[in-house]
Amino acid sequence: MVLIRACPILPSSDFETTKKFYSDLGFEFGSEYLEEGYLILHRDKIELHFFKSPQHVAETSDHGVFVRVDDASVLSNEYKALNLPVEGIPRFTEAENKPWGICELAVIDTDGNLIRVGHIMDT
C-alpha cells in the first residue's frame, strides 16, 4: 500500500514572518531553501510548503487549504488562547458546527492564506 499525503504550497511575502506566525500555531521548522525561495513547516503529519512571493498582497489572496483533524474543537481552544485577532489579517475564527456536517475553525495567516481545520460531525 502506498501512503499518499497532500502538502499545500502557499505564498509567503516574508519567510521570517511566516515562520513566527506558524510557530505560534504549533508548527515546527522543517527546511528552507533560500536560493529556490522555498520553506517547509510541519505539525504532526501536516506539512505546509511556502514559496517566496515578495509582491504578494494579503488582502487579495485566494490561496487556502482544508486540514482534517480528529477534533477541531480541541485545536480551536488551543488557538483561542493565543488571542489572535478576530478581524483583519491575520485572524482566527473559532470552531463551529457547519450545516454541511463539518465542525471547523478558520485561520487567515499574515499573507491572507485561508487555513480551514475541521472534522466530520457525528450524525
Side-chain angles (χ1 to χ4, degrees):
M1 183 172 163
V2 175
L3 174 66
I4 299 175
R5 293 189 326 200
C7 301
I9 305 172
L10 304 168
S12 169
S13 59
D14 179 80
F15 283 171
E16 293 306 312
T17 301
T18 298
K19 286 189 279 189
K20 167 69 172 102
F21 181 81
Y22 282 94
S23 173
D24 291 346
L25 298 180
F27 282 79
E28 297 178 0
F29 177 78
S31 52
E32 183 173 353
Y33 305 93
L34 294 175
E35 286 187 27
E36 293 82 3
Y38 207 79
L39 171 68
I40 300 172
L41 304 176
H42 60 87
R43 177 175 175 162
D44 301 320
K45 294 183 179 182
I46 303 300
E47 279 186 23
L48 296 179
H49 293 213
F50 297 88
F51 63 92
K52 187 71 168 228
S53 182
Q55 308 305 323
H56 180 74
V57 178
E59 291 77 13
T60 61
S61 182
D62 59 0
H63 293 81
V65 62
F66 184 89
V67 177
R68 193 172 307 265
V69 296
D70 292 332
D71 189 339
S73 301
V74 171
L75 196 58
S76 185
N77 289 334
E78 178 184 325
Y79 289 174
K80 184 177 179 180
L82 297 173
N83 293 314
L84 295 168
V86 295
E87 295 180 358
I89 298 174
R91 72 177 172 270
F92 163 69
T93 304
E94 291 184 54
E96 62 181 9
N97 294 338
K98 301 293 187 178
W100 48 87
I102 300 283
C103 175
E104 88 180 24
L105 65 89
V107 173
I108 304 278
D109 73 8
T110 53
D111 284 297
N113 298 309
L114 171 61
I115 313 298
R116 292 185 187 271
V117 180
H119 68 267
I120 297 172
M121 298 178 334
D122 294 328
T123 52

